Amino acid sequence: MLVDAKITRAQHRGSRFVLRDVFLNLGEGESVLVVGSSGCGKTTLLLAMTGVLNNLLEGEVEGYSRIGGVNLLEPEGFREVARLVGVVLQDPDKQIAMPTPYDEVSFVLENLGFNDIEERTNRILGTFGLTGKEFVSIEKLSGGEKRRLTIASAIVHDPPIILFDEPTASIDPWGVREVRKYFREHVSGLGKASIVVEHKAKYFLDLVDEVILLEDGVIRARRRISEVDEAFLEYLEEHGVDVRSPILIREPRKDAGRTILETRGLTIGYNGQPVISGIDFEVHEREVVVVIGANGSGKTTFLKTIAGALKPVAGEIVFHEENPRVFYVPQNPDYMFIHTRVKRELDDLYKRSGRIFIEKIFSEAPWLKGLLDMSPHRLSHGQRRWLALTIARGYNPSIVLLDEPTTGLDLKLYRHVVEWIRKIVKEKRSIIIASHDPRVIADLADRVYLVENNRMREVSLEYGLKWLEEGFK
Amino acid sequence: MPARRYTAIDFAILAVVAVVVGLIFFFIEIPYEVTKAAAGKMVARIVFYGLWFIGGPLAGSLIRKPGAAFLGEFLGALVEGILPTIYASSVLVYGAAQGIMSEIAYAILGYRKWGIGAGVLAGALPALVVPFLDYLLWGATITDVMLWVYMLGAMISGAIYGAIAALIGNTLRR
Amino acid sequence: MPRVSPATWFIYSLIMTALAFTIRSEIALILPAIPNFILGLILSLRKKYYLFPIAFLLAVWALFLNAVLFVNYGEPVVVVGPLVIRSNALWATLIVTVRIMTITGAAMIFVSMINPRELIISLERQLGLPKGLAFALSLALRLIPLMTYDYHEILFIRRQRGYRTKLIIPTDVIGVLLPLVAVGIDRAYWIGIAAELRGFQLRKRRFNPKYTLWDLLVIAAAIAQTIVSLAIVFLH
């Protein structure tokens, strides 16, 4: 057995959540997919198995976790972890530590004392399409290139097992396609074992040998992939796992209100460098418009230009109302909070929107009462998303701009966010969403604009959905 | 006694503090010079000077290990040193001196207290040496009385921003 | 690799700074001040670092203002309306300018001759910078663009929310630093875990100094300037 882990109990310091009785056995070249909704313990499992939780984070882990015969829970075993595993984490910007691709890849080789560092580094950068970019600053790489770099530096030292922690959370469908390609060619294709932790099971079901469903810190179900049938997929879906493609069941809206915002021949970009040119775009009252496109195509730039953070390069933005109020909500909700306690943020909203609004908020989110003295930055991921959207509502805007509001959300949290966004629409506001998440089109969009080759055009919901859904295949 | 060994997580947090401090240096440098040119050194000092000291209390309250306060402030100066800035190497001298003084504050407290009060001390102590470094450079344009007044201004400002840094550190510490 | 290692320029600029801090006789400082400043100015203008001369002029102006406010005595030299500028204010400004010229000159030479990434590697190899500090510095380089983006995003959100974007009073500073550090700490946590999983503990110090003739020449230039300045101090 390559992996023989028996974790009877694992717990973060100061946390009430406990992972119990997780047993994992993997032979050489086997891969297992661990699925489950946020907070089921997927990431805790990875941290516990690798010995990070007890050796580094002062957490408690009982049991053992042997990889290649070395127990990583022991301090001496943990020293060996780099030889035994390669890791790819959720967000490349939360993994890449070095300023250039060359340094990032050679980092692990230097640590392990390899002799052929330069040759290996250049070879793997070539394999992953990064030749010529060895010494380019990381921030000049595209999202896809950064993702490839993290995979390259996970396998360059040839470990027998690769661990993936939600590798598709931060990337667009085309990035997912690349991850799948490299997974097939360089992980399972080269006989390496792997553990993939994901809530988007659909991206990996055809690539693994076994599926494990985690829920509330215990294993609810496990199946060999040959035994996964329709009933099992349905079972996974009931437990908050994304297993299917979204289906469009929305009826077209009949009551499009008057136009409140339009752009005429708008060209957007940074420092006069155009990113998207000649945009003719409009939004009506109480309408949800979704702008889709690959990462880096200029969706966020578009939102920021509408919000007034960036000046248009050319063309104009016309508001058809007297006091246009636009509010931009960034992808990362953490940017939104400027007070040390939740209560202060609510005081702020009270000043702007009055008591009725605050009472409405408390009736929508009764759990808020217990968290008033918490720092907004310490809330759970879902709570932070909710608070960010609530702050936007509190400013009473007529148009709310949402940048990737559903990226990295599991099914359960995604459904909550959809509900919250629908509440905003009910308050007679219009919404522009920038996204590459096909679910958003299926569940929220009234109209869709597609960004491709520096142009933006309106497309049908069906076309937009298909365009995104085909992207990863 | 808390763990003393530094992990890569601690060094990564130091890097964040260093960049925060470096960015503050970088963004404050011109406003500081402008304020100083327009309203005189004293005003500029009280408004901004404590910001120069926050690397110590910020790193100290986030990492809570011996050496963190010194490294937070010193690495911040190094980061500013490798960005192109006018003060380059002289900030290293200031950064080291300020870092040592913040570190002394936590050492006096036996590396047991990391709260707001400790932050105030770690923010205020650097003011004891910085005016003397200033004196070495600018001595000819300052009278002795003004030097002590500067020191008081820097200390008040440092105490305020030290408290802020510790508040932020305590709020966000994992 | 460049002929003079970045670590050598680092040491050179530290020695010059030490001179500016410690040599009490301003006459003795003129020797390092003028050549370093002129060389630094040429090098940094070639690299298009125009902020340097501007910042330098601002600093001198501030000095002058300070001198007029606090040490304005002696013979009147210039009379502008009600304002009388006296000899001591001018003299004080002049001699402190010599110190600033030494420091800025060395700083301009330093930043024009190095690039940050090579400097860190060089500090490790030539001067034995410990691995943890080298890691923190490399990561800081990587974080600068990310955190600059964070900073602008946070300022825009503040503007949207009707808060000041100039950081004037302490609560402004809290409002900006809080999200900036929160996002930064979250990144640091995972980057640190990733680095540990890639063998950070096993990493060895990369201390392996190799000095070329060019390195020695630069150090010799610094030492020569020190000796001449000290000699002038003693002769004076």
Side-chain angles (χ1 to χ4, degrees):
Chain A
M1 274 294 131
L2 176 66
V3 177
D4 176 17
K6 184 171 181 180
I7 289 163
T8 47
R9 206 177 72 84
Q11 194 169 9
H12 277 274
R13 184 192 55 184
S15 159
R16 265 175 294 172
F17 177 83
V18 183
L19 185 77
R20 276 183 202 287
D21 297 324
V22 176
F23 308 139
L24 269 181
N25 285 294
L26 268 84
E28 304 268 343
E30 276 192 314
S31 43
V32 56
L33 174 64
V34 181
V35 297
S37 54
S38 305
C40 71
K42 301 191 298 283
T43 300
T44 307
L45 171 62
L46 277 193
L47 294 178
M49 274 193 68
T50 48
V52 167
L53 188 54
N54 66 325
N55 288 300
L56 208 56
L57 303 179
E58 298 166 32
E60 285 174 39
V61 183
E62 287 167 15
Y64 58 83
S65 170
R66 293 197 190 97
I67 295 184
V70 178
N71 185 0
L72 297 180
L73 301 189
E74 312 267 343
E76 308 82 64
F78 182 61
R79 282 175 65 85
E80 297 298 310
V81 67
R83 282 181 219 288
L84 299 166
V85 306
V87 279
V88 178
L89 300 179
Q90 270 190 37
D91 180 350
D93 280 338
K94 292 185 193 170
Q95 168 164 8
I96 301 171
M98 295 289 133
T100 68
Y102 184 92
D103 297 326
E104 180 68 11
V105 170
S106 59
F107 178 72
V108 65
L109 299 177
E110 286 171 358
N111 295 346
L112 295 178
F114 275 73
N115 295 320
D116 50 349
I117 292 176
E118 197 174 337
E119 191 202 324
R120 262 181 192 260
T121 304
N122 287 328
R123 194 183 337 128
I124 200 97
L125 287 174
T127 311
F128 282 80
L130 292 164
T131 300
K133 299 199 166 172
E134 293 89 347
F135 296 104
V136 166
S137 294
I138 300 291
E139 76 268 12
K140 301 231 164 70
L141 301 184
S142 72
E145 284 168 336
K146 284 191 225 170
R147 180 79 291 170
R148 294 206 301 258
L149 176 60
T150 59
I151 303 177
S153 37
I155 66 172
V156 64
H157 55 300
D158 210 15
I161 180 165
I162 315 287
L163 309 179
F164 292 87
D165 184 13
E166 303 200 11
T168 68
S170 62
I171 47 182
D172 61 26
W174 300 271
V176 174
R177 178 167 64 189
E178 276 198 355
V179 170
R180 286 169 50 86
K181 171 177 173 270
Y182 286 109
F183 185 88
R184 266 195 307 261
E185 289 172 8
H186 296 278
V187 180
S188 54
L190 293 183
K192 291 190 189 308
S194 57
I195 299 177
V196 183
V197 158
E198 242 317 335
H199 56 253
K200 285 185 184 152
K202 62 176 178 183
Y203 292 144
F204 284 93
L205 274 175
D206 56 336
L207 299 174
V208 296
D209 302 311
E210 189 182 15
V211 183
I212 291 179
L213 172 67
L214 267 188
E215 193 177 54
D216 300 328
V218 295
I219 293 184
R220 260 310 157 233
R222 63 198 306 166
R223 286 281 171 94
R224 300 303 296 178
I225 202 70
S226 53
E227 297 160 13
V228 170
D229 52 12
E230 199 54 30
F232 186 69
L233 290 182
E234 229 156 78
Y235 178 79
L236 289 181
E237 198 163 23
E238 279 163 22
H239 289 80
V241 181
D242 216 334
V243 289
R244 293 167 208 278
S245 302
I247 311 160
L248 192 65
I249 43 168
R250 285 165 63 78
E251 307 228 334
R253 274 166 46 108
K254 296 174 195 96
D255 58 334
R258 65 193 180 88
T259 306
I260 57 167
L261 162 72
E262 62 181 311
T263 73
R264 295 180 192 134
L266 177 69
T267 296
I268 59 168
Y270 287 96
N271 308 325
Q273 291 290 322
V275 177
I276 311 177
S277 336
I279 304 169
D280 293 315
F281 174 94
E282 55 178 4
V283 186
H284 306 96
E285 281 176 317
R286 298 187 304 281
E287 186 178 52
V288 179
V289 178
V290 178
V291 178
I292 59 173
N295 275 349
S297 60
K299 304 188 298 291
T300 304
T301 312
F302 178 68
L303 291 191
K304 284 191 179 167
T305 310
I306 299 285
L310 297 171
K311 286 203 174 65
V313 176
E316 53 177 348
I317 303 170
V318 186
F319 289 95
H320 295 287
E321 56 179 345
E322 276 185 20
N323 291 308
R325 292 179 315 279
V326 179
F327 200 99
Y328 160 77
V329 181
Q331 179 176 356
N332 185 346
D334 288 351
Y335 292 133
M336 294 279 287
F337 314 133
I338 57 182
H339 295 294
T340 47
R341 287 185 299 156
V342 172
K343 187 175 175 301
R344 295 268 186 81
E345 296 284 355
L346 295 177
D347 287 346
D348 199 49
L349 298 183
Y350 176 81
K351 268 185 253 155
R352 279 161 219 280
S353 294
R355 194 139 72 101
I356 295 168
F357 179 70
I358 295 293
E359 278 169 2
K360 193 161 118 193
I361 287 177
F362 274 104
S363 71
E364 280 172 22
W367 45 266
L368 202 56
K369 283 208 175 67
L371 302 174
L372 292 176
D373 284 324
M374 277 264 274
S375 156
H377 292 104
R378 304 293 294 268
L379 297 173
S380 75
H381 187 74
Q383 288 162 343
R384 279 179 290 159
R385 294 256 179 185
W386 176 87
L387 187 56
L389 289 175
T390 304
I391 289 172
R393 282 163 69 191
Y395 279 74
N396 203 21
S398 47
I399 305 174
V400 184
L401 311 174
L402 304 176
D403 191 14
E404 302 285 3
T406 62
T407 301
L409 300 188
D410 67 42
L411 204 53
K412 201 165 123 203
L413 196 46
Y414 167 78
R415 283 176 184 147
H416 284 304
V417 170
V418 168
E419 276 317 301
W420 300 333
I421 293 175
R422 286 189 181 138
K423 281 209 177 83
I424 300 178
V425 181
K426 274 196 195 123
E427 290 170 336
K428 299 196 168 63
R429 310 181 201 282
S430 307
I431 295 183
I432 307 175
I433 301 177
S435 182
H436 50 63
D437 186 346
R439 300 176 297 185
V440 171
I441 297 185
D443 295 324
L444 286 164
D446 292 314
R447 288 190 303 117
V448 174
Y449 285 85
L450 187 154
V451 183
E452 199 176 20
N453 304 327
N454 307 81
R455 290 274 167 185
M456 188 190 287
R457 64 177 202 273
E458 185 168 359
V459 296
S460 68
L461 301 193
E462 292 79 8
Y463 184 88
L465 185 61
K466 188 161 164 270
W467 190 73
L468 285 177
E469 265 307 297
E470 299 294 311
F472 83 88
K473 285 181 183 147
Chain B
M1 211 57 188
R4 281 166 185 276
R5 197 175 66 87
Y6 275 57
T7 67
I9 300 176
D10 297 323
F11 286 118
I13 291 173
L14 278 177
V16 170
V17 172
V19 176
V20 168
V21 174
L23 284 183
I24 286 176
F25 284 148
F26 201 66
F27 285 111
I28 296 298
E29 190 183 319
I30 297 294
Y32 177 75
E33 291 296 343
V34 171
T35 313
K36 200 164 82 178
K41 214 169 172 181
M42 190 64 199
V43 176
R45 180 144 307 190
I46 290 183
V47 177
F48 292 113
Y49 219 93
L51 270 173
W52 261 269
F53 305 157
I54 69 163
L58 190 56
S61 57
L62 279 169
I63 296 172
R64 304 193 175 186
K65 289 180 185 172
F70 169 72
L71 290 175
E73 185 69 16
F74 182 64
L75 284 174
L78 260 179
V79 165
E80 200 203 0
I82 58 181
L83 292 171
T85 70
I86 173 177
Y87 298 122
S89 51
S90 60
V91 273
L92 280 184
V93 176
Y94 280 88
Q98 291 160 12
I100 289 170
M101 293 311 282
S102 291
E103 189 64 36
I104 287 175
Y106 286 109
I108 289 173
L109 300 170
Y111 294 115
R112 282 195 177 81
K113 293 201 164 56
W114 309 91
I116 308 274
V120 167
L121 194 61
L125 280 195
L128 289 178
V129 289
V130 169
F132 294 100
L133 289 176
D134 276 1
Y135 181 76
L136 291 178
L137 281 189
W138 320 82
T141 63
I142 312 171
T143 57
D144 287 356
V145 178
M146 282 320 292
L147 195 68
W148 292 106
V149 179
Y150 280 166
M151 188 159 110
L152 198 66
M155 199 174 267
I156 294 169
S157 176
I160 294 170
Y161 287 109
I164 289 177
L167 173 71
I168 290 168
N170 290 340
T171 308
L172 298 176
R173 191 182 129 76
R174 286 195 182 231
Chain C
M1 270 321 240
R3 283 191 290 195
V4 178
S5 77
T8 303
W9 287 119
F10 181 78
I11 294 189
Y12 177 84
S13 107
L14 274 186
I15 293 177
M16 290 301 117
T17 308
L19 282 185
F21 270 99
T22 50
I23 300 271
R24 300 321 306 153
S25 154
E26 284 78 14
I27 310 273
L29 265 184
I30 289 180
L31 172 79
I34 290 178
N36 277 298
F37 187 76
I38 291 174
L39 185 62
L41 199 64
I42 293 171
L43 289 172
S44 62
L45 288 181
R46 219 176 55 184
K47 287 245 173 172
K48 302 200 167 68
Y49 293 149
Y50 298 120
L51 269 180
F52 277 102
I54 296 171
F56 171 76
L57 289 176
L58 266 175
V60 172
W61 172 247
L63 263 181
F64 173 66
L65 219 66
N66 221 49
V68 170
L69 274 175
F70 300 124
V71 289
N72 198 10
Y73 42 80
E75 293 294 309
V77 181
V78 184
V79 181
V80 191
L83 185 69
V84 183
I85 295 162
R86 295 171 187 278
S87 61
N88 194 68
L90 282 180
W91 177 243
T93 308
L94 202 68
I95 58 177
V96 177
T97 301
V98 173
R99 289 185 198 283
I100 303 185
M101 277 171 81
T102 313
I103 290 180
T104 345
M108 289 192 291
I109 295 174
F110 173 64
V111 297
S112 309
M113 297 307 289
I114 60 121
N115 90 44
R117 177 183 168 267
E118 283 172 1
L119 173 68
I120 296 168
I121 296 174
S122 176
L123 289 177
E124 265 191 289
R125 295 244 164 92
Q126 305 278 73
L127 302 179
L129 183 74
K131 66 171 186 180
L133 299 190
F135 173 76
L137 272 183
S138 299
L139 178 57
L141 270 192
R142 158 98 185 94
L143 290 177
I144 288 167
L146 286 175
M147 292 182 69
T148 307
Y149 178 88
D150 293 342
Y151 180 77
H152 289 302
E153 197 82 355
I154 289 163
L155 285 191
F156 177 65
I157 299 284
R158 277 180 78 78
R159 208 173 92 197
Q160 253 193 165
R161 292 189 62 176
Y163 284 84
R164 234 195 323 266
T165 52
K166 291 268 178 302
L167 311 183
I168 296 173
I169 59 168
T171 49
D172 301 343
V173 178
I174 297 181
V176 171
L177 283 191
L178 202 58
L180 189 66
V181 177
V183 174
I185 292 286
D186 184 43
R187 245 184 233 128
Y189 178 78
W190 288 107
I191 287 175
I193 288 176
E196 287 281 354
L197 285 174
R198 292 194 296 143
F200 178 74
Q201 266 195 65
L202 302 174
R203 191 173 184 79
K204 297 209 167 55
R205 204 182 228 202
R206 295 195 289 184
F207 185 38
N208 183 19
K210 284 191 188 85
Y211 290 97
T212 65
L213 186 62
W214 291 97
D215 289 311
L216 298 179
L217 279 176
V218 171
I219 300 291
I223 292 173
Q225 293 179 61
T226 312
I227 291 173
V228 174
S229 304
L230 287 177
I232 295 175
V233 171
F234 284 117
L235 290 177
H236 223 63

